[in-house]
Amino acid sequence: MERIYFDHAATTPLHPDVLQAMTDSMHQVFGNASSVHAFGREAKLALNQARDRIAAQLGCQPQELIFTSGGTEGDNAAVFGAAWSAWLQQCSDHNQPASARKPHIVTTQIEHHAVLHACERLEQFGFEVTYVAPDQTGKVSVEAIKAALQPHTCLISVMYGNNEVGTIQPIEEIGRLARERGIAMHTDAVQVLGHLKFRLCEIPVDFASFSAHKINGPKGVGVLYVRSGVHWDPLLYGGSQERKRRAGTENVAGIAGMAKALEVANASLSEKLEGLGQIRNTLWMELSLALGDRVVMNGHPTEHLPHVLNVSFLDVPTETMLMNLDLAGIMASSGSACTSGSLELSHVLEAMDLPDERKRTAVRFSFGLGNTNEEAACAAQQIATIVSRVRTRQ
């Protein structure tokens, strides 16, 4: 049975050129980049070259990038780092009374759990957090963010493109608001990397999290953008790596793989995005023709990522559909990769305040390297058969 992989928002297959770059690095550069001998200097050179290449692709300065283990660490480092820095500054301000409230954070109800759980942990330490709700398309308004701000707000954290429904947020407008108020701005940009044209130097954000394995790079590698001059405290301590901002021996081969993956992803970005959009449209149109009003799209109708399609099959519960899709050789998801296998309703769909039937029947399809319009048409036929079979049994 030929299998169809429609779960690229969870992880992506390694690109052959990335594998080659990593293999070359592991063979040729095995030293510790912190060592002062020749092998260490070679590793350090490879590390710096990869940093320069990634910075060129992202549109920022090399010294503004910190290598991490992925998006989760990047989100945690940004949220905790900005919060602790603001609190320490407040503590050192002799004009502040000892009873002053801890800093305040604004985020949204549809963030990745790496941000939500970090904020919940900060609440346990006495920080205040406001979780802004989206509308029913999954979009958060600038006005709602503005209304949530307080005099002691230290950080705004809003995901650039949602990993479950694909809705793109007004990051530039929110970032400008943050700049005007002197508030640090973080965005989880994991899903927009390789799927949206942007340059960090042109976007008013102070922190941005990225992950390699979403763009056909290796797992366990990511990068956190920290704008020069922003106040921030490291998450990890123990060594002087990354200019004492992230302790731990760098994964040189993985970082080389991320640099190559990003270059490949951006090499023909316009053509790639057009192709992904066509696949997404093919699947949606074929599903609509086959199932009529018993299939509903979740997310913003126009302001969405090109590679994510979230739909509700109103007659088939999510777990039933996913099980039947898997048996048919079609790989899809119920939403966030970090909660795959869980029968809990998506916190994103809950926050969007959708009808219960839509929340209980939602499936996410996401597209990438190797996918075709023919696969989308084939998947739609298989899904129509599954829906018909399930309806017959009810």
Side-chain angles (χ1 to χ4, degrees):
M1 178 175 59
E2 192 169 328
R3 298 191 295 181
I4 298 174
Y5 185 70
F6 278 170
D7 200 17
H8 290 258
T11 196
T12 57
L14 202 65
H15 192 284
D17 292 347
V18 173
L19 176 60
Q20 187 61 56
M22 294 177 66
T23 302
D24 292 345
S25 178
M26 286 186 280
H27 280 306
Q28 300 166 11
V29 187
F30 67 87
N32 188 319
S34 296
S35 299
V36 297
H37 52 61
F39 285 171
R41 293 196 302 273
E42 290 173 358
K44 187 70 171 180
L45 176 61
L47 190 67
N48 288 337
Q49 289 175 338
R51 194 190 310 273
D52 290 345
R53 291 161 59 195
I54 293 173
Q57 294 295 320
L58 294 178
C60 65
Q61 297 299 313
Q63 64 269 22
E64 295 178 311
L65 298 180
I66 301 171
F67 291 117
T68 69
S69 62
T72 292
E73 184 189 332
D75 287 346
N76 273 255
V79 172
F80 282 113
W84 289 127
S85 177
W87 172 233
L88 291 172
Q89 281 185 292
Q90 183 174 309
C91 290
S92 64
D93 185 353
H94 299 296
N95 294 321
Q96 286 280 354
S99 60
R101 293 182 296 177
K102 281 190 172 68
H104 171 247
I105 298 164
V106 174
T107 188
T108 81
Q109 296 177 4
I110 56 173
E111 297 300 302
H112 191 279
H113 283 128
V115 168
L116 293 177
H117 290 173
C119 288
E120 290 168 6
R121 182 60 172 159
L122 285 170
E123 286 184 286
Q124 294 173 354
F125 285 106
F127 288 79
E128 297 177 53
V129 182
T130 299
Y131 301 91
V132 176
D135 62 21
Q136 288 201 327
T137 70
K139 189 170 183 177
V140 177
S141 73
V142 180
E143 291 73 22
I145 296 293
K146 185 176 182 179
L149 299 180
Q150 299 182 21
H152 60 302
T153 302
C154 70
L155 176 69
I156 299 172
S157 181
V158 179
M159 181 183 287
Y160 207 145
N162 189 265
N163 56 309
E164 293 199 29
V165 297
T167 299
I168 296 174
Q169 304 300 339
I171 294 301
E172 293 190 32
E173 293 88 341
I174 296 172
R176 284 197 293 269
L177 172 65
R179 282 284 161 86
E180 291 169 2
R181 301 293 184 89
I183 300 169
M185 174 71 189
H186 166 248
T187 185
D188 177 331
V190 167
Q191 290 294 341
V192 303
L193 189 63
H195 298 105
L196 192 69
K197 294 180 180 179
F198 67 89
R199 292 185 65 77
L200 289 171
C201 62
E202 299 171 355
I203 303 173
V205 299
D206 301 295
F207 306 95
S209 313
F210 303 96
S211 186
H213 78 105
K214 307 294 188 177
I215 55 168
N216 307 110
K219 297 178 180 67
V221 182
V223 67
L224 174 66
Y225 164 76
V226 181
R227 184 178 62 83
S228 295
V230 70
H231 294 291
W232 176 79
D233 268 26
L235 181 66
L236 299 181
Y237 293 84
S240 59
Q241 294 90 352
E242 299 299 291
R243 302 186 180 191
K244 297 184 178 180
R245 299 177 299 178
R246 197 272 190 182
T249 302
E250 296 95 343
N251 178 1
V252 178
I255 291 167
M258 182 172 188
K260 187 63 178 179
L262 187 51
E263 289 172 344
V264 171
N266 285 345
S268 54
L269 188 58
S270 296
E271 294 82 354
K272 171 187 172 182
L273 300 186
E274 182 180 355
L276 292 175
Q278 288 177 357
I279 295 169
R280 183 184 187 276
N281 289 338
T282 296
L283 181 57
W284 172 242
M285 293 303 296
E286 293 291 337
L287 289 174
S288 299
L289 287 171
L291 303 176
D293 61 2
R294 301 309 294 168
V295 59
V296 183
M297 184 189 299
N298 301 315
H300 201 282
T302 58
E303 297 171 31
H304 57 75
L305 296 168
H307 68 299
V308 175
L309 175 65
N310 190 301
V311 296
S312 291
F313 300 100
L314 301 180
D315 300 306
V316 186
T318 300
E319 52 269 34
T320 301
M321 176 58 75
L322 290 177
M323 180 184 66
N324 280 275
L325 286 173
D326 192 31
L327 291 172
I330 301 169
M331 317 301 155
S333 171
S334 60
S336 171
C338 297
T339 55
S340 292
S342 170
L343 297 182
E344 295 180 4
L345 292 178
S346 160
H347 73 282
V348 173
L349 300 181
E350 288 272 26
M352 289 165 60
D353 195 28
L354 298 180
D356 286 344
E357 188 176 23
R358 284 175 64 178
K359 291 184 290 188
R360 290 186 291 100
T361 59
V363 174
R364 182 190 70 183
F365 301 93
S366 49
F367 320 104
L369 182 66
N371 289 148
T372 64
N373 287 319
E374 290 72 24
E375 285 184 330
C378 176
Q381 292 176 358
Q382 294 274 16
I383 291 167
T385 300
I386 292 169
V387 171
S388 177
R389 185 166 62 241
V390 173
R391 282 175 177 169
T392 301
R393 292 174 180 173
Q394 290 177 344

